[in-house]
Amino acid sequence: MLHLLPLTWNEIRRFDPHPGCVEEALFSGGYPRIFDRRLDPVRWLRSYVATYIERDVRTISNVGDLTTFQRFVELCSGRTGQLLNYSGLAGDCGISQPTAKAWISILETSFIAFRLPAFHANLRKRLVKMPKLYFYDTGLACWLMGIRESGQLRSHPLRGAIFETWVVSEIVKQRINRGETRGLSFYRDRSGAEVDLVIDQPSGRTLLEAKSTGTPSASLLRGAERVHGHFGRGTAPDVAVVYGGEDLQERTSGRLIPWRMLGNTTW
């Protein structure tokens, strides 16, 4: 069985029409058939989930209780962009931790979700070691959360996590499409300093944050600035924030990148 990654934002923009605002981009996701055939995301994703659960999961693994597995996938969608706590996830779903770990592996094998590792280096900081969980496709995550129209995302309590998922998964898809599978992590220490994505490239390191707000502000850079100070002068990374607004801004402490331009940079 062949599973393909959802489209990147640059690939989606080749279709006419394509999402015109950030809420539509998050809601529509990136499965090709939605754009190729101009389908309603809600109807197509409903059919996709049913097919995935009923046919594909049986092919990948002998999951006995498909109803519980679907509940598990729904619970995972509500945890996208969060630390992956197997104990809590298993408890909420009524399954064992080994089963939760096995089912996460199924989601990874079928390119539904992925784990982002924690950054680890000798920075004299007590770093969080638990990975974070992300969905490859925000449209699918939205459908599983019960979001049925893009307008709900303007005030949804998980808007920030969904936007973060969109940004992180976009960069992950870019890298996979180039044959690169390493060099991405997130930073979080026990004092509360954190940054959504640490991007390592031959040219240097970038600290990237995702902020769903549409208003550019110096405050958007503060979290990444704090983490920036934990690196030595010789290894100090660049700082950037992808946000839900429209204006590209260069500031002394870093760049504010509008969501539409995320695909314009090779990360």
Side-chain angles (χ1 to χ4, degrees):
M1 178 177 49
L2 178 64
H3 282 278
L4 299 176
L5 287 172
L7 300 173
T8 64
W9 174 239
N10 275 355
E11 291 170 330
I12 291 171
R13 289 194 297 182
R14 297 173 187 169
F15 290 90
D16 186 22
H18 60 263
C21 66
V22 66
E23 289 83 13
E24 289 180 5
L26 300 178
F27 179 73
S28 299
Y31 284 107
R33 189 163 296 184
I34 291 173
F35 298 97
D36 186 44
R37 300 189 180 181
R38 300 184 182 185
L39 301 177
D40 174 17
V42 171
R43 295 182 63 183
W44 188 85
L45 286 165
R46 180 187 299 117
S47 175
Y48 176 80
V49 169
T51 301
Y52 172 72
I53 298 295
E54 294 170 8
R55 185 192 67 190
D56 293 1
V57 172
R58 289 187 188 275
T59 305
I60 297 170
S61 179
N62 58 341
V63 174
D65 188 345
L66 293 180
T67 300
T68 302
F69 181 80
Q70 178 160 349
R71 174 62 179 157
F72 175 81
V73 179
E74 292 169 353
L75 287 170
C76 285
S77 71
R79 287 165 167 78
T80 187
Q82 297 181 19
L83 293 176
L84 179 52
N85 184 327
Y86 289 109
S87 176
L89 183 57
D92 288 348
C93 196
I95 58 177
S96 67
Q97 276 197 60
T99 297
K101 291 181 179 179
W103 287 2
I104 287 290
S105 295
I106 292 174
L107 296 183
E108 289 184 315
T109 300
S110 50
F111 291 101
I112 297 295
F114 61 93
R115 287 172 286 189
L116 182 69
F119 179 82
H120 58 278
N122 185 19
L123 297 179
R124 297 182 181 178
K125 295 287 181 180
R126 296 181 61 220
L127 301 177
V128 170
K129 298 179 181 179
M130 194 180 297
K132 290 177 76 172
L133 178 68
Y134 286 99
F135 271 58
Y136 279 105
D137 190 80
T138 55
L140 176 58
C142 285
W143 190 90
L144 290 165
M145 291 179 202
I147 298 170
R148 295 295 180 262
E149 57 180 35
S150 61
Q152 290 178 254
L153 286 166
R154 295 190 188 99
S155 58
H156 196 279
L158 292 180
R159 173 189 168 93
I162 296 169
F163 183 76
E164 178 185 329
T165 297
W166 187 83
V167 171
V168 173
S169 64
E170 178 71 18
I171 294 172
V172 168
K173 287 184 289 186
Q174 287 181 22
R175 288 211 157 194
I176 292 176
N177 289 340
R178 297 199 305 267
E180 300 174 13
T181 57
R182 298 183 179 180
L184 298 177
S185 59
F186 74 94
Y187 181 102
R188 182 179 295 186
D189 64 30
R190 301 294 181 180
S191 67
E194 60 181 304
V195 71
D196 295 329
L197 206 53
V198 181
I199 305 171
D200 286 310
Q201 296 174 294
S203 58
R205 177 176 287 156
T206 300
L207 303 181
L208 186 72
E209 279 275 88
K211 300 292 185 183
S212 64
T213 179
T215 305
S217 166
S219 64
L220 299 182
L221 292 156
R222 286 176 187 162
E225 284 182 274
R226 180 182 176 188
V227 174
H228 180 273
H230 295 174
F231 292 82
R233 288 187 178 182
T235 59
D238 294 328
V239 170
V241 172
V242 178
Y243 77 111
E246 303 293 340
D247 298 324
L248 175 65
Q249 296 190 2
E250 296 280 351
R251 296 179 177 245
T252 55
S253 53
R255 291 174 292 158
L256 297 181
I257 303 170
W259 67 277
R260 294 181 193 273
M261 295 181 64
L262 178 58
N264 294 1
T265 301
T266 300
W267 299 98

